[in-house]
């Protein structure tokens, strides 16, 4: 980790205030790519394209903070929402569901998006008929959407260099959907061999943003511990006792895959930093904060049965494919703020806040290319 270069900004990030200090010029916009962990409202539009019902359009989604469904996969704010608040920027608008300006940011993330292009999976019959997933919303497709929007943001190369130099790029999380799709047809051991391909896809996208578009500040999250994810636990509920971590109740092999992905991703990002020394590339730890909440739920204000979702249907983890959250027959816990998981793989607003705080601290620990100390005058 680099030495802290801006103690004033650290205090800003870790404070409870959501307003940015006007004396600290920071990012002017946020551009986001990812899946449902970052999607602020694109997935209902995309799902409609494919005639797929999207439960996030129904209550109780969004009710904790927004008071209504917003297209977010959660009861309230996502990690990206907390980051925008701390940087004093508006919530990042979903590009497919917003008719206004994108000068202060644009969110290209779509629920269920993969890093690797959809054709890779469909050619291999993963997951196979009758499923329409994965949809054509991969990281590469999202980059194409960004490139189509670019001329409306900055007409000239010089303007783009200045504009994107003052922008924050959130690239991910990517990988979880790739692996969870793989688990539909393949053993976890086979999925392990797929990890370098996923990481290479993410790395190439980062290089593209830096080299072709002038990105100077990028945050790249790792993947979650899938072995603690309620849908994975429910799907592989017949696993032997030895497959589980006795301390947490998580499936060890699936977490090991996440650790491998994150290790390779960090190594790839280190190479990118060495190549582009004037660019801030931050690895955002997604795995660690979730494991901390799983291992010590009371420390974070969560109930002890931490792997049980807040909103869902009958079943051991309240994950039920025929009674998803948003279904008329689904039930919701009394206090979402006391739960880690919202509807399956997705986190509650309370958990998202904890993760966002960690990412913001990691950003500051790397130094902020776009933030300057306020003058002493």
């Amino acid at each position: 980790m680099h030495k802290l270069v801006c103690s004033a900004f650290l205090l800003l990030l870790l404070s409870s205030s959501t307003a940015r200090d006007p004396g600290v010029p920071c990012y002017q916009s946020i551009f986001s790519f990812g899946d449902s962990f970052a999607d602020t409202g694109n997935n209902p539009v995309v799902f409609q394209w494919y005639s797929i019902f999207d439960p996030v359009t129904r209550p109780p989604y969004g009710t904790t903070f927004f008071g209504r469904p917003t297209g977010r996969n959660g009861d309230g704010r996502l990690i990206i929402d907390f980051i925008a608040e701390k940087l004093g920027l508006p919530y990042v608008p979903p590009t497919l569901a917003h008719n206004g300006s994108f000068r202060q940011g644009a969110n290209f993330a779509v629920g269920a998006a993969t890093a690797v292009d959809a054709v890779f999976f469909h050619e291999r019959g993963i997951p196979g008929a009758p499923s329409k997933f994965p949809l054509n919303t991969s990281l590469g497709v999202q980059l194409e959407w960004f490139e189509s929007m670019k001329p409306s943001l900055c007409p000239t190369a010089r303007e783009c260099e200045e504009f994107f130099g003052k922008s924050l790029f959130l690239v991910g999380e990517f990988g979880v959907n790739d692996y969870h799709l793989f688990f539909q047809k393949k053993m976890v051991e086979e999925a392990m061999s797929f990890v370098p391909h996923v990481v290479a896809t993410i790395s190439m996208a980062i290089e593209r943003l830096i080299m072709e578009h002038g990105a100077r500040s990028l945050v790249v999250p790792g993947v979650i511990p899938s072995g603690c994810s309620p849908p994975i636990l429910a799907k592989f509920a017949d696993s032997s006792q030895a497959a589980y971590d006795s301390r947490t109740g998580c499936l060890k092999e699936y977490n090991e895959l996440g650790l491998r992905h994150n290790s390779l991703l960090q190594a790839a990002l280190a190479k990118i930093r060495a190549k582009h020394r004037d660019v801030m590339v931050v690895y955002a730890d997604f795995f660690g904060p979730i494991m901390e909440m799983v291992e010590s739920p009371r420390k974070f204000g969560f109930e002890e049965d931490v792997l049980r979702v807040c909103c869902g249907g009958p079943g051991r983890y309240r994950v039920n494919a025929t009674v998803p959250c948003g279904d008329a027959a689904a039930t919701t816990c009394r206090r979402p703020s006391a739960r880690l998981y919202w509807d399956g793989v997705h986190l509650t607003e309370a958990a998202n806040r904890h993760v966002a705080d960690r990412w913001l601290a990691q950003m500051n620990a790397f130094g902020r290319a776009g933030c300057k100390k306020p003058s002493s005058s």
Side-chain angles (χ1 to χ4, degrees):
M1 289 286 185
H2 297 312
K3 190 175 181 180
L4 292 178
V5 298
C6 182
S7 59
F9 187 62
L10 175 62
L11 292 173
L12 170 72
L13 290 180
L14 299 182
S15 72
S16 60
S17 171
T18 60
R20 188 180 73 202
D21 184 341
V24 186
C26 293
Y27 301 112
Q28 296 181 359
S29 54
I30 298 174
F31 293 93
S32 170
F33 308 86
D35 57 17
S36 53
F37 289 111
D39 182 3
T40 53
N42 286 318
N43 62 314
V45 177
V46 173
F47 280 30
Q48 191 173 38
W49 292 348
Y50 289 86
S51 300
I52 299 171
F53 170 68
D54 192 350
V56 306
T57 59
R58 292 181 175 179
Y61 284 91
T63 52
T64 291
F65 181 78
F66 299 100
R68 59 180 175 80
T70 63
R72 289 168 172 79
N73 282 269
D75 61 311
R77 288 164 290 185
L78 307 180
I79 298 166
I80 186 174
D81 295 317
F82 287 111
I83 290 174
E85 286 182 358
K86 292 292 185 180
L87 295 178
L89 290 169
Y91 295 134
V92 187
T95 58
L96 302 177
H98 178 70
N99 294 322
S101 171
F102 293 103
R103 287 287 300 176
Q104 288 187 288
N107 196 340
F108 301 93
V110 180
T114 53
V116 177
D117 286 342
V119 66
F120 173 92
F121 297 93
H122 293 304
E123 287 179 347
R124 291 162 176 78
I126 301 172
S131 175
K132 297 179 181 179
F133 293 97
L135 309 180
N136 191 34
T137 57
S138 67
L139 174 54
V141 171
Q142 292 179 29
L143 281 174
E144 290 174 2
W145 293 345
F146 166 71
E147 288 167 347
S148 295
M149 179 185 288
K150 184 178 174 181
S152 68
L153 298 171
C154 48
T156 69
R158 184 171 181 176
E159 287 177 299
C160 285
E161 181 180 1
E162 181 178 355
F163 182 69
F164 294 129
K166 296 177 181 178
S167 301
L168 175 65
F169 288 80
L170 296 175
V171 188
E173 173 278 328
F174 279 107
V176 169
N177 288 317
D178 300 74
Y179 302 132
H180 286 201
L181 284 166
F182 228 72
F183 298 155
Q184 301 296 316
K185 281 289 188 75
K186 307 288 184 180
M187 300 293 289
V188 68
E189 295 86 359
E190 293 178 89
M192 281 285 189
S193 64
F194 180 48
V195 174
H197 183 38
V198 174
V199 172
T201 302
I202 298 168
S203 299
M204 286 188 288
I206 295 164
E207 284 280 3
R208 186 165 155 187
L209 286 168
I210 294 170
M211 296 296 292
E212 297 182 22
H213 304 297
R216 288 295 173 266
S217 296
L218 303 96
V219 174
V220 187
V223 296
I224 62 171
S226 288
C228 301
S229 180
I232 295 298
L233 289 166
K235 180 175 177 58
F236 300 104
D238 58 349
S239 298
S240 68
Q241 187 174 350
Y244 294 90
D245 184 321
S246 59
R247 296 179 305 110
T248 62
C250 301
L251 287 165
K252 293 183 286 188
E253 274 192 320
Y254 296 89
N255 278 356
E256 288 166 6
L257 182 140
L259 289 170
R260 174 167 167 74
H261 171 101
N262 293 340
S263 176
L264 292 182
L265 180 61
Q266 289 178 78
L269 297 183
K271 291 180 180 178
I272 292 172
R273 285 188 211 105
K275 183 178 177 182
H276 305 284
R277 296 190 179 276
D278 60 336
V279 177
M280 185 188 81
V281 182
V282 178
Y283 169 75
D285 183 11
F286 210 168
F287 193 104
I290 292 179
M291 288 307 305
E292 290 173 6
M293 290 184 274
V294 168
E295 292 168 355
S296 306
R298 286 187 179 178
K299 177 182 175 182
F300 297 92
F302 297 141
E303 296 173 6
E304 283 297 317
D305 56 342
V306 69
L307 300 179
R308 189 174 168 87
V309 305
C310 174
C311 182
R316 180 176 172 187
Y317 303 97
R318 301 193 72 230
V319 173
N320 189 307
T322 59
V323 187
C325 182
D327 188 89
T331 57
T332 306
C333 64
R334 286 188 304 155
R335 290 196 304 134
S337 63
R339 308 302 310 182
L340 167 59
Y341 290 105
W342 167 244
D343 64 349
V345 70
H346 307 112
L347 308 181
T348 60
E349 178 180 275
N352 283 328
R353 184 192 296 272
H354 290 306
V355 178
D357 286 343
R358 284 285 295 273
W359 291 9
L360 286 159
Q362 288 170 329
M363 287 165 59
N364 191 71
F366 263 79
R368 274 288 292 104
C371 285
K372 301 180 292 185
K373 273 189 176 181
S375 63
S376 57
S377 58

